[in-house]
Amino acid sequence: WHLQSFMADAVLFHHEPTEKIASALPLVQIVFLANQLSIHSVDQNATVVKTAAEVFGFSQSDIDTLVSQGKENVKDVADSLGIEIESPEDPAGTDDNVHQKEVDLLRNVRDVSLLQGTLQNLLEAYGEKAILGIVKQGLQVLFDVHDVLFLLYDEQENILVGKGGLEPPRDSLVKEMVISLETKNCLPVQTLEEKRPLDSFGQIKDVDLTIIDRQIVRLLDKDGILCLPMIAHKKTVGTIVLAVEQTTRSALFSQMSLLTMFAQQAALALYADGTRDAQAKVVQSERLAAASAIAKKVVHEVNNPLGIIKNYIKIFGLKLSDEDPAQEELKIISEELDRVA
């Protein structure tokens, strides 16, 4: 699989004897001990405690703390992916329940796998238009949402500006959309203030729709809208507005954690692209400044010898009589030196 060699080593050597593991690099040691802790009960197996002490110098209390933290970490990861896990002490439940949980897990794995493909495309995209196109495509493939508009943040004007997402002729109307962040209770603005998804159905938050919200619903020509905040590194990037049908909103809202994750990745891609543009402008400005400085230095360096040459030509002219034919040639040389200067 051409894995990075230390990663492959951690798999290759994690069944070696403890005395050999003691001299290995840390990743091999970590995976070795983790494997021991995962298959043996710490309370009932003194060998595991002895191994942990020999490899890392851990005491019994250290191991208990690490195992407890590990369980918490597993639960946090599972919760973030919408996966329900059970402790070994809990009964597995009926066969139907187990089967449904397996189906849900497979669906989550599929969705995350599809999301990974879209995120890879986002990482490779360059330019705002390309990124928004990939985000729209991802929303269609992953969430079956086909009508979407993007409102991107203009920091200088403190406004949200429509940046497309819809097909002609409605796309021209999107470009006319300008929403001040001072607008109160407007869903695209409020979702950024509260840093969480908001919708016009009131399922997530019961709010009265403003005229702007109603206009967006009418523009998208669906039963309602769902607004997703795009925030990267605590910087406002914009809002994704999804058109939602009443009949499909429950299915869509059940994927809220995945939708939120997707919006965050879109925000990061747009933020990185904006940072690249800003850096490119800085570099261009610095290049112009450097070129100007070099030009000034060249002018200074050239003018010095030109001035000396002109002085010597003047001296030559004084040494010759006014009627000398060389005076005309010296005059021409002097004029050409002026041109060079």
Side-chain angles (χ1 to χ4, degrees):
W1 289 353
H2 305 290
L3 295 175
Q4 189 257 13
S5 64
F6 283 0
M7 292 176 63
D9 293 345
V11 179
L12 179 63
F13 298 121
H14 80 289
H15 284 304
E16 292 289 320
T18 305
E19 58 269 18
K20 292 187 177 180
I21 292 296
S23 62
L25 292 174
L27 186 59
V28 171
Q29 296 177 329
I30 291 168
V31 173
F32 172 82
L33 182 58
N35 179 60
Q36 295 294 315
L37 293 173
S38 70
I39 59 179
H40 298 295
S41 170
V42 178
D43 297 333
Q44 301 173 1
N45 196 318
T47 303
V48 178
V49 178
K50 181 181 177 182
T51 300
E54 290 179 1
V55 177
F56 287 108
F58 290 159
S59 65
Q60 176 75 54
S61 61
D62 292 332
I63 299 173
D64 291 340
T65 300
L66 289 171
V67 171
S68 176
Q69 290 175 348
K71 290 178 180 178
E72 292 178 4
N73 289 342
V74 170
K75 185 177 185 306
D76 289 342
V77 172
D79 290 344
S80 71
L81 296 173
I83 299 172
E84 183 180 353
I85 59 173
E86 298 167 337
S87 67
E89 295 79 16
D90 292 336
T94 65
D95 290 340
D96 289 342
N97 289 338
V98 172
H99 174 70
Q100 184 59 47
K101 289 180 179 179
E102 289 176 350
V103 170
D104 292 340
L105 178 58
L106 287 173
R107 184 181 297 112
N108 284 325
V109 171
R110 180 204 64 191
D111 290 343
V112 171
S113 299
L114 289 171
L115 180 60
Q116 283 294 107
T118 302
L119 296 185
Q120 183 63 38
N121 291 335
L122 277 176
L123 289 174
E124 296 171 355
Y126 188 85
E128 180 184 283
K129 184 176 180 181
I131 293 172
L132 294 180
I134 292 171
V135 173
K136 181 180 179 181
Q137 186 181 58
L139 290 167
Q140 292 174 344
V141 172
L142 293 170
F143 307 103
D144 198 29
V145 175
H146 295 272
D147 288 313
V148 54
L149 67 86
F150 301 101
L151 299 169
L152 301 189
Y153 180 56
D154 183 329
E155 186 174 6
Q156 290 184 339
E157 302 293 335
N158 197 34
I159 56 175
L160 292 174
V161 181
K163 289 289 183 178
L166 300 179
E167 301 298 327
R170 292 183 296 169
D171 62 327
S172 61
L173 298 177
V174 173
K175 296 174 183 176
E176 296 180 13
M177 295 183 64
V178 176
I179 304 174
S180 170
L181 258 67
E182 301 297 326
T183 307
K184 301 300 181 184
N185 299 324
C186 168
L187 285 177
V189 175
Q190 195 167 350
T191 192
L192 291 170
E193 291 178 351
E194 299 189 17
K195 297 181 175 59
R196 65 192 185 100
L198 296 176
D199 68 279
S200 62
F201 298 98
Q203 179 166 333
I204 298 176
K205 184 174 179 63
D206 188 15
V207 296
D208 294 328
L209 296 184
T210 64
I211 291 180
I212 291 178
D213 296 329
R214 294 176 184 177
Q215 286 187 274
I216 294 174
V217 172
R218 286 168 53 81
L219 174 65
L220 294 175
D221 197 24
K222 292 292 188 292
D223 295 329
I225 56 173
L226 170 64
C227 296
L228 302 172
M230 289 192 293
I231 299 172
H233 303 294
K234 299 182 180 180
K235 297 285 187 179
T236 299
V237 177
T239 301
I240 302 175
V241 183
L242 308 181
V244 183
E245 294 280 16
Q246 182 74 34
T247 55
T248 60
R249 69 185 180 96
S250 295
L252 183 64
F253 289 178
S254 68
Q255 298 177 287
M256 193 57 67
S257 61
L258 198 62
L259 271 169
T260 303
M261 186 191 307
F262 184 76
Q264 289 173 345
Q265 296 302 317
L268 287 170
L270 289 166
Y271 177 83
D273 185 70
T275 302
R276 282 196 299 266
D277 285 345
Q279 289 176 340
K281 291 177 181 177
V282 170
V283 169
Q284 179 66 13
S285 175
E286 290 176 348
R287 284 177 178 171
L288 290 173
S292 178
I294 291 172
K296 290 178 181 178
K297 185 176 181 180
V298 169
V299 168
H300 176 74
E301 293 296 332
V302 170
N303 272 331
N304 283 340
L306 286 180
I308 294 171
I309 294 170
K310 284 198 57 136
N311 287 337
Y312 273 101
I313 289 175
K314 184 70 173 176
I315 292 172
F316 291 156
L318 293 174
K319 289 182 178 180
L320 300 174
S321 65
D322 294 340
E323 293 79 17
D324 194 303
Q327 291 287 6
E328 186 62 27
E329 281 82 356
L330 292 176
K331 180 181 178 184
I332 293 173
I333 293 174
S334 182
E335 290 174 352
E336 292 304 311
L337 287 173
D338 288 338
R339 283 186 60 202
V340 174

